[in-house]
Amino acid sequence: MNTELTMLLDASTMVVVLALGNLALCALLTFFDHGPARPAALSVWSLSKQIQGGAWLLLALGDAGVVPAPLAVPGGYALLFAGVAIEAGASWELARRPGWRRPTLVAGSLAILAFFLCYLVDEEGLRGLAASLLLGAFYLSGSVALAWRWAEASLLRRFLAVASAALALLVASRGLSVLFLQGGWGWMSSELLAQLSSGALYLLMLGNGFGMLLLARERLQEALARLETVDPLTDVPNRRGFFQTLAPWMALARRPGLPTALVVLDLDQFKRINDGYGHPAGDAVLRHVVELTRRQLRDSDQLGRLVGVEFAILLPRTNLDEATLVAERIRAAIEATPVKSERALIKMTASFGVTTIRPEDSTTTLFGRADEALLRAKKEGRNRVAQAGAAPAEV
């Protein structure tokens, strides 16, 4: 079988290389990050490589005469188009656009139909033209998915997007040359373009396969880094993340200007919720409190979970009395809004300690003062807001 895509190359060798390469990638993707929590995009990508490996293997068997050409060629290309369509869908899944996956699969079905029609009309020329254009279009779709939200993309994803787009255009250019430049263009002869197109298919196989492995590892590292600073239950900064946010405001407190306030809140008698309703209900209460608190805050304010049921709120450009009013609104919202669980409506209250950052403060003295105010609110009956003592300069 001497196709347009492998002109001036040993067709058997090229097809075998592509078959073995895709099957090797298939094995890597199958065992990489294998487990119950495996990303959906990685599973779909692995399936696409299996299908493409089978497609190239069928074409290789047809080229060797093991499988009749009338069966191997249409069957192999049908599998190939299905594989690259699924691969493009996996790229859109990775780009967090799962809604584009179904149209990509529909396009794959239409591509198979279009190829069959071309194959019936012309087994050689028109078939090669259709194969080049259709493969290039699907690979280009995958590169667009990698480039989605370019400003947020990592350097690795940007490189893969640009490289994939260039190679996809090179694959498609073989088909375009058949239509418009049959004799070549200057030093770029049709034979050289066919050779470059075949090489592009090989590089796309390697680049897309290993690129997916690297992107999966990159996303895992990002997730692990996020866990270091974000509480997974409530999706707010944990103690470490909150202290990182607090640090620049501690430094600004040494300069003249508007004060910055800190509010520490603790849910009252939370143990009874866990004991009486179970830990899932307790988790629902924590998420509910975070949501209620966020509704009372500005975009510039920062809420964080320090430990257990103790939270902290950073209120930039807010004095002590203004912070007390914010804390009072949050307290009233928590008291007035019970959480609906499977067993009952769970009512809860919270106590608050309020202070402002002083020029001489460290995190130890700042939180020590806020905790003292919180403890006083607890001792005075809970479900209330207490201010820390004013600094000498504020008297």
Side-chain angles (χ1 to χ4, degrees), residues 143-157:
S143 67
V144 172
L146 288 172
W148 198 259
R149 293 181 177 176
W150 180 266
E152 304 173 11
S154 65
L155 289 177
L156 172 62
R157 190 149 65 90

Side-chain angles (χ1 to χ4, degrees), residues 2-5 73 77 81 111 113-134 174-176 178-179 182:
N2 184 19
T3 69
E4 291 293 322
L5 290 174
V73 173
Y77 275 104
F81 292 136
L113 178 60
F115 177 81
F116 282 162
L117 293 175
C118 293
Y119 179 74
L120 292 174
V121 174
D122 184 353
E123 292 186 8
E124 291 294 334
L126 193 56
R127 183 190 75 195
L129 167 65
S132 298
L133 293 178
L134 293 171
R174 177 57 187 153
L176 295 175
V178 173
L179 285 177
Q182 295 184 5

Side-chain angles (χ1 to χ4, degrees), residues 276-335:
Y277 301 98
H279 288 281
D283 292 343
V285 167
L286 291 177
R287 289 190 291 266
H288 184 69
V289 167
V290 166
E291 180 61 28
L292 289 176
T293 302
R294 279 174 165 168
R295 293 176 187 173
Q296 306 300 324
L297 301 178
R298 304 165 297 184
D299 292 339
S300 59
D301 300 333
Q302 182 65 66
L303 171 66
R305 184 183 181 187
L306 299 181
V307 61
V309 295
E310 185 173 335
F311 294 83
I313 306 170
L314 180 67
L315 301 172
R317 303 176 185 87
T318 307
N319 62 34
L320 189 64
D321 290 335
E322 292 169 340
T324 302
L325 290 175
V326 173
E328 180 59 36
R329 289 202 308 267
I330 297 171
R331 184 207 63 78
I334 293 174
E335 182 184 23

Side-chain angles (χ1 to χ4, degrees), residues 83-121:
V84 293
I86 293 173
E87 183 176 331
S91 298
W92 286 110
E93 182 86 27
L94 186 67
R96 297 185 176 89
R97 302 288 295 183
W100 286 56
R101 184 175 57 193
R102 180 172 294 179
T104 303
L105 297 180
V106 172
S109 301
L110 294 176
I112 294 172
L113 178 60
F115 177 81
F116 282 162
L117 293 175
C118 293
Y119 179 74
L120 292 174
V121 174

Side-chain angles (χ1 to χ4, degrees), residues 28-87:
L28 288 173
L29 290 168
T30 299
F31 295 106
F32 176 79
D33 200 20
H34 184 75
R38 193 182 197 203
L42 189 59
S43 297
V44 175
W45 202 298
S46 178
L47 175 63
S48 76
K49 289 300 176 184
Q50 294 175 32
I51 296 174
Q52 290 178 61
W56 288 113
L57 184 60
L58 182 57
L59 290 173
L61 293 174
D63 194 42
V66 178
V67 178
L71 177 62
V73 173
Y77 275 104
L79 286 175
L80 184 58
F81 292 136
V84 293
I86 293 173
E87 183 176 331

Side-chain angles (χ1 to χ4, degrees), residues 143-221:
S143 67
V144 172
L146 288 172
W148 198 259
R149 293 181 177 176
W150 180 266
E152 304 173 11
S154 65
L155 289 177
L156 172 62
R157 190 149 65 90
R158 292 180 182 184
F159 169 76
L160 290 173
V162 173
S164 297
L167 293 171
L169 291 174
L170 188 55
V171 170
S173 67
R174 177 57 187 153
L176 295 175
S177 70
V178 173
L179 285 177
F180 304 109
L181 299 170
Q182 295 184 5
W185 183 46
W187 60 270
M188 181 68 72
S189 64
S190 298
E191 292 78 9
L192 178 58
L193 187 59
Q195 188 173 2
L196 292 175
S197 178
S198 298
L201 280 173
Y202 181 73
L203 291 177
L204 281 167
M205 176 193 69
L206 292 179
N208 289 353
F210 287 106
M212 182 61 177
L213 296 177
L214 292 174
L215 286 174
R217 179 58 62 187
E218 182 180 70
R219 294 187 71 176
L220 178 60
Q221 291 173 344

